[in-house]
């Protein structure tokens, strides 16, 4: 019931179109019921011909695809899928024909979520030194094949409580940056390929799903946290009432090993398969099996262990 969604789409006009989208659910991250609605998407748009501007909460342009998994609580996050949703101003320009249709998307938004849960954590968050910039250059070929290249960049300051002065210190700064490639290939009803490859530095500080985690202060400087991840899934529509899906994803912590500490995750790998039985009118039954293997630093000498 937490994943029940309410969606409203509005579009008015012909030459110049205006409208918006609101998408809400009742997810809270807990196993019990939740009666408070949560905003997933909420934006207004204005468009004319090939140009469109959107303002509000939208999906990230960096790592823009979502895998075909029934594990919507995980969605291959921390195993290659790094993008999420955030408030942003997005500019879109698309042009072309049925054979080749390129599109450019640029967005400006906030980097990280606030963390004012208690007095102990007051100020222990990130603040933008500049707005977070994201971009996606993509192209649709023959109205179905799609390939894209994305990037993210921002400079941030880390606000933390100085143990000596008992004051909030924001003198240290660092940057978040990343690049990604995404591809969707519906080659045949028996074989559709979709996936991404994403890589970056300090991605977790911008609320992106990277296993390396947030930057830490060591020897009076911030240590850059680096990630390299990929995921893909293959869909085979064997019949109108049976679809088979196989998926794989991995995220590797590429931070220099000398900066690892006990408990750090060094890699995360997922493989899953599901059977979907479409019935009619949007109804279907889906079954999924999934295995997750995580490697963590067990001792300070950087030996690792696998925890299935």
């Amino acid at each position: 019931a937490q994943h029940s969604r309410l969606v409203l789409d509005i579009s008015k006009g012909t030459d110049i179109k205006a409208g918006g989208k609101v998408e809400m659910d009742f997810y809270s991250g807990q196993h019990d019921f939740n009666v408070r609605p949560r905003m997933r998407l909420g934006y207004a748009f204005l468009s004319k011909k090939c140009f469109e501007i959107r303002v509000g909460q939208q999906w990230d342009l960096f790592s823009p695809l979502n895998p075909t998994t029934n594990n919507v609580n995980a969605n291959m996050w921390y195993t290659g899928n790094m993008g999420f949703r955030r408030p942003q101003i997005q500019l879109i320009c698309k042009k072309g024909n049925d054979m080749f249709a390129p599109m450019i998307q640029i967005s400006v938004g906030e980097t990280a979520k606030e963390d004012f849960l208690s007095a102990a954590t007051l100020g222990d968050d990130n603040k933008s030194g500049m707005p977070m910039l994201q971009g996606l250059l993509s192209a649709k070929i023959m109205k179905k094949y799609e390939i894209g290249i994305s990037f993210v960049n921002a400079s941030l300051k880390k606000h933390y409580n100085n143990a000596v002065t008992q004051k909030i210190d924001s003198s240290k700064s660092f940057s978040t940056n990343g690049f990604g490639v995404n591809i969707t290939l519906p080659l045949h009803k028996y074989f559709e390929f979709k996936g991404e490859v994403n890589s970056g530095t300090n991605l977790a500080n911008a609320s992106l799903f990277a296993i390396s985690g947030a930057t830490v202060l060591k020897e009076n400087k911030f240590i850059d946290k680096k990630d390299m991840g990929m995921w893909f899934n293959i869909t085979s529509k064997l019949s109108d009432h049976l679809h088979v899906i196989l998926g794989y994803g991995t995220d590797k912590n590429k931070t220099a090993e000398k900066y690892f500490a006990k408990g750090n995750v060094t890699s995360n790998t997922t493989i899953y398969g599901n059977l979907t039985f479409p019935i009619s009118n949007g109804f279907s039954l889906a079954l999924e099996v999934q295995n997750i293997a995580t490697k963590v630093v067990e001792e300070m000498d950087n030996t690792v262990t696998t925890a299935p």
Side-chain angles (χ1 to χ4, degrees):
Q2 289 197 35
H3 296 288
S4 299
R5 293 179 186 171
L6 304 176
V7 182
L8 176 64
D9 279 297
I10 300 175
S11 180
K12 300 291 184 180
T14 53
D15 185 33
I16 298 179
K17 294 183 179 181
K21 181 171 186 173
V22 176
E23 182 177 302
M24 308 178 73
D25 66 11
F26 300 89
Y27 181 69
S28 68
Q30 305 298 321
H31 293 294
D32 54 357
F33 76 97
N34 178 49
V35 297
R36 293 179 300 174
R38 179 186 70 158
M39 181 73 72
R40 284 173 53 86
L41 300 174
Y43 62 83
F45 75 84
L46 185 68
S47 67
K48 182 177 182 180
K49 295 183 178 179
C50 67
F51 178 79
E52 181 176 339
I53 180 172
R54 295 179 181 178
V55 180
Q57 180 149 298
Q58 305 157 68
W59 287 102
D60 282 325
L61 298 179
F62 175 72
S63 185
L65 302 184
N66 278 314
T68 310
T69 173
N70 294 306
N71 190 355
V72 292
N73 290 8
N75 204 36
M76 299 290 276
W77 289 315
Y78 301 109
T79 51
N81 184 21
M82 299 179 178
F84 196 51
R85 305 178 292 264
R86 74 188 67 234
Q88 56 187 284
I89 299 173
Q90 188 179 138
L91 303 178
I92 304 171
C93 184
K94 52 186 175 182
K95 208 167 185 178
N97 49 46
D98 290 347
M99 291 299 296
F100 183 74
M103 179 168 62
I104 299 176
Q105 296 168 262
I106 299 292
S107 77
V108 180
E110 180 58 272
T111 50
K113 54 192 174 183
E114 305 293 340
D115 187 14
F116 294 133
L117 300 180
S118 66
T121 60
L122 181 63
D124 188 16
D125 65 345
N126 304 311
K127 300 292 184 181
S128 297
M130 60 177 279
M132 181 177 181
L133 301 177
Q134 296 187 67
L136 174 61
L137 173 63
S138 61
K140 185 166 286 189
I141 304 169
M142 298 175 62
K143 298 181 72 172
K144 57 181 181 178
Y145 308 114
E146 190 167 351
I147 186 170
I149 302 174
S150 60
F151 80 89
V152 59
N153 178 262
S155 66
L156 304 96
K157 288 183 177 293
K158 180 73 175 178
H159 288 222
Y160 62 96
N161 290 322
N162 191 303
V164 178
T165 64
Q166 297 299 313
K167 295 181 179 180
I168 295 177
D169 190 338
S170 61
S171 60
K172 306 295 188 299
S173 62
F174 56 94
S175 63
T176 287
N177 56 77
F179 292 92
V181 176
N182 63 85
I183 189 169
T184 302
L185 298 175
L187 299 173
H188 192 274
K189 71 174 185 177
Y190 294 146
F191 188 89
E192 177 179 303
F193 180 91
K194 179 170 67 173
E196 293 180 343
V197 177
N198 299 304
S199 179
T201 303
N202 302 325
L203 297 174
N205 286 85
S207 294
L208 295 164
F209 294 101
I211 62 167
S212 60
T215 56
V216 294
L217 194 64
K218 191 169 185 178
E219 298 173 356
N220 206 33
K221 67 176 182 179
F222 282 114
I223 305 304
D224 286 336
K225 298 295 190 71
K226 299 181 179 181
D227 278 80
M228 177 69 183
M230 65 166 288
W231 68 267
F232 69 85
N233 58 232
I234 297 170
T235 302
S236 184
K237 297 180 180 180
L238 300 180
S239 73
D240 292 340
H241 299 289
L242 175 59
H243 300 170
V244 178
I245 301 167
L246 177 65
Y248 171 85
T250 185
D251 187 1
K252 295 185 181 300
N253 189 341
K254 292 295 185 178
T255 307
E257 288 190 11
K258 64 180 179 179
Y259 297 127
F260 283 167
K262 185 176 181 179
N264 284 169
V265 177
T266 60
S267 71
N268 216 22
T269 302
T270 299
I271 185 170
Y272 71 91
N274 66 46
L275 301 176
T276 301
F277 303 93
I279 302 172
S280 64
N281 300 321
F283 290 94
S284 65
L285 173 66
L287 305 174
E288 180 168 299
V289 60
Q290 185 174 45
N291 183 76
I292 303 172
T294 301
K295 290 186 177 181
V296 298
V297 178
E298 191 175 51
E299 301 294 341
M300 298 305 291
D301 63 359
N302 295 334
T303 57
V304 298
T305 184
T306 300

